[in-house]
Amino acid sequence: MRKLTFERPIIQRINAGLPSKYGMPRRLEPLSHIDGVSIQTLLEEFGSPLFIISEQTIRKTYKEAYRAFSSRYPKVQFSWSYKTNYLNAVCNIFHQEGAWAEVVSGFEYQKALSNGVPGELIVFNGPDKSQEDLRIAIQNHSLIHIDHFDELYELIHLSKELDERPKVAIRVNMDTGIYPQWDRFGFNFENGEAWDALNRIMASKRLDLLGLHTHIGTYMLSTDAYRVAATKLASLAVKLERKYGHILQYIDLGGGFASKNTLRGAYYPGTDTAPSFDDFAEAITSALISSDIKPDHLPLLLLETGRALIDEAGYLAGTVLATKRLSDGRRATIIDAGVNLMFTSFWYEHDLRPIAPVSDQSEDTTIYGPLCMNIDVIRSNMMFPLLKKGDQFVIRRVGAYNMTQWMQFITYRPNVILLDREGKPHIIRKKETLETLNSQEELPDHLKKFDL
Ligand SMILES: *Cc1c(COP(=O)(O)O)cnc(C)c1O
């Protein structure tokens, strides 16, 4: 008979008066498999910690989003937001599903080209486009979204030098009822700057004005903000047609739809509060369709959805390194994945689960990562079962931003694997080694030797 492990009895205070909608904290259900594949087996084969991405979930989520918009509006196009997750395998799944590329730097632009995205299907956003980036984008006929007047004048200058008509849109920022307002990107709607920029483009006669763009924020829980944004962009389109007879080809509503993660301190879980793709699509398309844009001139609707398309498909599995008691008696569990891999721990109360049935008891626990840094906290307090050294866990919904904002700090970045639609694992980014990092360093000759 297997010897049962001893569990110290604990006294749990009942927080009367504080039950959530779900009553008292429930037992955390273990999550043992992803797409039918055992997480434990994957950890054995590919090491711990381990990022796991589900191809099936990406495709399913994309189809759901596309359907929500295309069933309500005649012309819809998604552009994959590279910075949200630019692992080539991930980008190419989106491209196979039909998404163009949305990039915010010369590096991302080159990555999209090298993945095989045609230049004219790359949307180039962001405040940092060098003269060289712009030259390449103009010659490739990419869609350049102008961020500020300096860029506008640079484009007019380059159009003469290269004897080309750059394809452009302007990014517009505005009051959508969400504060703080994201007014550092693009031209402001309310103070007339956006209209001024459009007039300058038309007056220059050197740029091919194709669209209007906005990206109002990220993790947006309000569909109404999108209704306001679409209405304001539509009003600019109407003004352009009225004054110049100019008809725009597209309106780009950016990204920002909330994923189903739960924000820190939120009372309800994100699974309950995040609007669905249908909700967002309803708000945006009804604003466009009921605007004063003539029905024959309705522009293509571009979307640059990032986190809501990929968060759900990403998992981070790992191992418990140790447990300890903090000085106030609270329980702490130390795991082998820290904020170096989980940048989003600063915003989210991540859904962390054991991968196998463990103790029936739960305790208020702080989950620390492995870094020698006090800020390395994955969850500051959660009711968590009493996992021990060597037990394994998995964190759900980590597909967005973590695999681009991760840091090489103190430890190596781990393997990232993709489970294909048959559940077969493929390494899509190899674990780093000392050689990976040393290959970037140079050691001056006089520092090569020392005697101790
Ligand atoms: C980051 C970004 C996106 C994607 O935003 P999400 O909040 O992840 O949907 C889209 N467009 C632009 C311009 C961005 O900077």
Side-chain angles (χ1 to χ4, degrees):
M1 199 183 95
R2 199 169 69 91
K3 184 166 172 281
L4 295 176
T5 38
F6 171 75
E7 270 171 12
R8 179 180 79 90
I10 50 172
I11 297 171
Q12 196 96 60
R13 191 173 62 189
I14 293 177
N15 289 323
L18 264 183
S20 76
K21 181 178 159 190
Y22 305 97
M24 294 308 293
R26 303 151 301 161
R27 225 187 89 200
L28 272 184
E29 284 306 319
L31 180 71
S32 59
H33 287 70
I34 299 169
D35 296 350
V37 182
S38 147
I39 298 172
Q40 188 188 348
T41 312
L42 291 173
L43 283 168
E44 272 161 26
E45 188 173 348
F46 299 100
S48 176
L50 177 69
F51 276 106
I52 303 161
I53 298 177
S54 157
E55 179 173 348
Q56 190 181 309
T57 304
I58 297 180
R59 292 189 190 270
K60 186 171 141 279
T61 312
Y62 183 87
K63 287 191 169 83
E64 201 183 303
Y66 185 77
R67 188 174 183 280
F69 282 89
S70 61
S71 56
R72 290 176 170 84
Y73 193 81
K75 293 176 286 181
V76 177
Q77 178 63 52
F78 279 82
S79 245
W80 174 239
S81 157
Y82 263 49
K83 77 169 187 296
T84 309
N85 188 321
Y86 45 58
L87 292 172
N88 294 333
V90 168
C91 295
N92 282 8
I93 295 172
F94 284 110
H95 298 324
Q96 283 185 353
E97 290 289 332
W100 300 352
E102 185 273 328
V103 304
V104 291
S105 69
F107 154 66
E108 289 187 3
Y109 186 92
Q110 292 298 335
K111 214 165 196 293
L113 277 184
S114 84
N115 279 338
V117 181
E120 62 272 22
L121 304 185
I122 302 179
V123 176
F124 200 167
N125 282 316
D128 171 26
K129 309 180 192 81
S130 70
Q131 198 187 63
E132 193 48 33
D133 294 338
L134 288 174
R135 250 197 211 105
I136 296 169
I138 293 170
Q139 285 166 333
N140 285 326
H141 309 292
S142 300
L143 306 171
I144 302 169
H145 288 183
I146 306 170
D147 187 75
H148 41 67
F149 281 111
D150 289 323
E151 190 173 291
L152 172 55
Y153 301 135
E154 180 91 87
L155 281 166
I156 293 174
H157 166 77
L158 287 170
S159 74
K160 294 178 188 157
E161 184 194 301
L162 301 169
D163 195 22
E164 292 264 9
R165 270 179 83 73
K167 293 182 172 180
V168 302
I170 61 161
R171 175 161 178 174
V172 181
N173 69 65
M174 60 184 78
D175 183 355
T176 59
I178 299 291
Y179 308 100
Q181 204 175 313
W182 274 24
D183 58 2
R184 64 157 286 195
F185 303 109
F187 303 92
N188 186 255
F189 178 85
E190 284 79 17
N191 70 12
E193 195 184 38
W195 181 235
D196 184 23
L198 292 172
N199 280 296
R200 283 175 193 278
I201 291 172
M202 295 309 293
S204 82
K205 296 191 162 49
R206 301 211 57 93
L207 308 178
D208 205 358
L209 177 63
L210 297 187
L212 294 169
H213 170 238
T214 191
H215 173 60
I216 58 176
T218 193
Y219 196 89
M220 306 290 288
L221 291 167
S222 158
T223 56
D224 195 57
Y226 285 93
R227 186 190 54 75
V228 173
T231 304
K232 287 185 174 173
L233 290 189
S235 77
L236 287 175
V238 169
K239 266 169 104 172
L240 276 171
E241 181 162 2
R242 201 172 289 150
K243 179 164 174 185
Y244 297 98
H246 186 75
I247 297 162
L248 290 176
Q249 292 186 12
Y250 67 86
I251 281 185
D252 181 345
L253 263 295
F257 304 156
S259 68
K260 293 192 164 48
N261 261 308
T262 304
L263 284 183
R264 276 195 171 195
Y267 182 63
Y268 289 120
T271 43
D272 281 9
T273 50
S276 65
F277 289 122
D278 284 310
D279 298 333
F280 286 116
E282 190 64 27
I284 291 171
T285 59
S286 81
L288 292 180
I289 287 171
S290 53
S291 73
D292 287 341
I293 299 177
K294 297 202 180 83
D296 299 347
H297 297 169
L298 272 182
L300 172 74
L301 170 58
L302 265 180
L303 295 154
E304 304 167 343
T305 313
R307 74 173 74 239
L309 287 179
I310 188 70
D311 231 5
E312 197 76 27
Y315 300 80
L316 178 59
T319 310
V320 172
L321 299 175
T323 56
K324 59 163 72 169
R325 289 271 155 204
L326 301 175
S327 57
D328 63 2
R330 269 185 316 131
R331 186 177 172 91
T333 298
I334 303 160
I335 60 177
D336 62 355
V339 294
N340 52 328
L341 305 179
M342 288 277 296
F343 195 82
T344 54
S345 310
F346 294 120
W347 318 111
Y348 290 144
E349 282 179 0
H350 274 294
D351 184 351
L352 190 123
R353 313 271 187 108
I355 70 162
V358 278
S359 149
D360 272 342
Q361 293 196 51
S362 286
E363 217 186 308
D364 193 3
T365 305
T366 302
I367 314 276
Y368 290 104
L371 306 179
C372 239
M373 297 275 290
N374 211 31
I375 58 158
D376 191 20
V377 180
I378 296 296
R379 286 289 303 266
S380 50
N381 58 317
M382 73 180 293
M383 289 305 287
F384 199 63
L386 312 179
L387 262 61
K388 295 187 188 61
K389 178 179 162 63
D391 286 344
Q392 293 161 327
F393 66 87
V394 63
I395 308 176
R396 294 178 69 186
R397 300 193 189 94
V398 302
Y401 296 101
N402 288 305
M403 283 160 259
T404 45
Q405 290 186 291
W406 52 4
M407 286 181 273
Q408 191 280 307
F409 178 56
I410 301 188
T411 62
Y412 302 121
R413 281 171 284 207
N415 280 323
V416 182
I417 61 159
L418 178 81
L419 294 178
D420 70 18
R421 280 172 287 180
E422 277 74 55
K424 185 166 174 273
H426 304 259
I427 292 188
I428 58 170
R429 190 178 191 278
K430 277 190 298 201
K431 180 179 170 26
E432 292 170 345
T433 63
L434 188 57
E435 289 74 58
T436 323
L437 304 173
N438 276 347
S439 70
Q440 289 304 108
E441 291 197 33
E442 308 262 2
L443 195 57
D445 275 338
H446 70 286
L447 299 178
K448 285 188 173 148
K449 279 212 193 84
F450 51 76
D451 299 307
L452 292 176

